Amino acid sequence: MKNIIIAIALISTISLFGQSNKEAEKLVKDVIGKISAYENFSADLSYTMVNVEMDINEKKTGSIIVSGEMYRVEMEGQIIMSDGITLWTYLVDSEEVMVSNVSDNEDGISPTSILTKYDEDYKSSFDNDNKYKNSGVKKVDLKTSEDKGFQELSLIINQSKLNLESFSVYDMNGNVFTYHIIDLKPNLTLEEGTFIFKPEDHPDVEVIDMR
């Protein structure tokens, strides 16, 4: 009889866990669906990079603009631009820009891949941290069985507003990159050339073409 009770309890737990995972997946898809429906958007960013073993704790601030597959990230002396085909990494202080193909970086993580797409390889689950249990803010962990160049993603989501408040990327080297999204503004009028680097506008900048 005791074994039967344990078995029933185990089956119930597995069922609830599966239901919880489906709810977590739906929440993530709803948030990404909301963001991807925008024609474009901009937001301010607060960024941290932490590696406990190496005693690293970097903090930076910046901004991001996304339109479809195109994006522009400005972060304290570095500007990363992509028109969906070409990727420019402009180091302002060094006066150099590195040029590569987006396809050469497809194993990496781009703002568009996190903010506007849900990868069906992800396994979504709610975090068990007690501070999120009775809160309108939920933490969802995303894991993948395939090699994506990282171990895990975690998203902090305002459930009632379907807003993504922050996301963290855990890489293979023990680094945790966290981006806090501040004041997201959708459907803006953007200047032409927002997502490309024009060498003629920066005659003193060395172009390093890595294609």
Side-chain angles (χ1 to χ4, degrees):
M1 183 69 175
K2 182 178 179 181
N3 289 339
I4 294 175
I5 293 174
I6 292 174
I8 292 173
L10 180 59
I11 291 171
S12 298
T13 301
I14 293 172
S15 177
L16 289 172
F17 182 73
Q19 182 179 4
S20 176
N21 286 354
K22 288 181 180 179
E23 290 174 354
E25 179 179 324
K26 182 181 184 304
L27 179 59
V28 174
K29 286 184 174 180
D30 286 347
V31 170
I32 291 178
K34 176 183 175 181
I35 297 174
S36 62
Y38 297 143
E39 182 179 343
N40 58 61
F41 65 87
S42 72
D44 293 328
L45 296 176
S46 173
Y47 159 87
T48 62
M49 192 275 268
V50 175
N51 186 309
V52 175
E53 289 188 7
M54 300 182 68
D55 195 27
I56 297 174
N57 190 346
E58 294 182 2
K59 296 182 179 180
K60 296 181 180 180
T61 57
S63 63
I64 184 172
I65 304 173
V66 175
S67 179
E69 297 291 332
M70 303 181 290
Y71 61 88
R72 178 188 184 96
V73 178
E74 298 191 22
M75 191 80 66
E76 295 187 12
Q78 179 173 275
I79 304 174
I80 302 171
M81 294 162 277
S82 174
D83 62 357
I85 299 173
T86 304
L87 180 68
W88 295 269
T89 303
Y90 175 28
L91 305 177
V92 178
D93 293 338
S94 301
E95 293 191 325
E96 63 182 31
V97 60
M98 290 170 283
V99 188
S100 60
N101 293 317
V102 169
S103 58
D104 295 335
N105 298 274
E106 57 186 9
D107 290 334
I109 301 175
S110 73
T112 56
S113 66
I114 292 179
L115 297 173
T116 63
K117 296 179 182 177
Y118 183 85
D119 192 323
E120 293 296 339
D121 292 324
Y122 291 150
K123 302 298 182 185
S124 303
S125 61
F126 287 117
D127 193 280
N128 291 322
D129 194 321
N130 285 330
K131 69 180 180 181
Y132 298 111
K133 282 190 175 179
N134 298 312
S135 167
V137 175
K138 300 298 181 184
K139 182 179 180 183
V140 180
D141 298 324
L142 304 176
K143 297 183 179 180
T144 177
S145 58
E146 295 192 3
D147 183 11
K148 302 285 186 183
F150 62 91
Q151 289 184 319
E152 183 179 335
L153 297 174
S154 68
L155 311 179
I156 304 296
I157 296 171
N158 185 312
Q159 189 171 21
S160 61
K161 296 181 179 179
L162 292 181
N163 287 344
L164 178 62
E165 297 194 350
S166 69
F167 62 89
S168 298
V169 181
Y170 298 76
D171 76 3
M172 304 295 187
N173 301 312
N175 299 312
V176 182
F177 306 90
T178 300
Y179 298 83
H180 294 272
I181 300 171
I182 306 164
D183 192 25
L184 188 148
K185 297 177 181 177
N187 304 324
L188 308 170
T189 300
L190 302 177
E191 294 183 9
E192 184 179 355
T194 296
F195 304 107
I196 62 175
F197 181 89
K198 296 181 179 180
E200 59 270 25
D201 293 340
H202 306 274
D204 296 328
V205 173
E206 179 185 3
V207 177
I208 302 172
D209 198 327
M210 305 170 67
R211 291 171 292 184

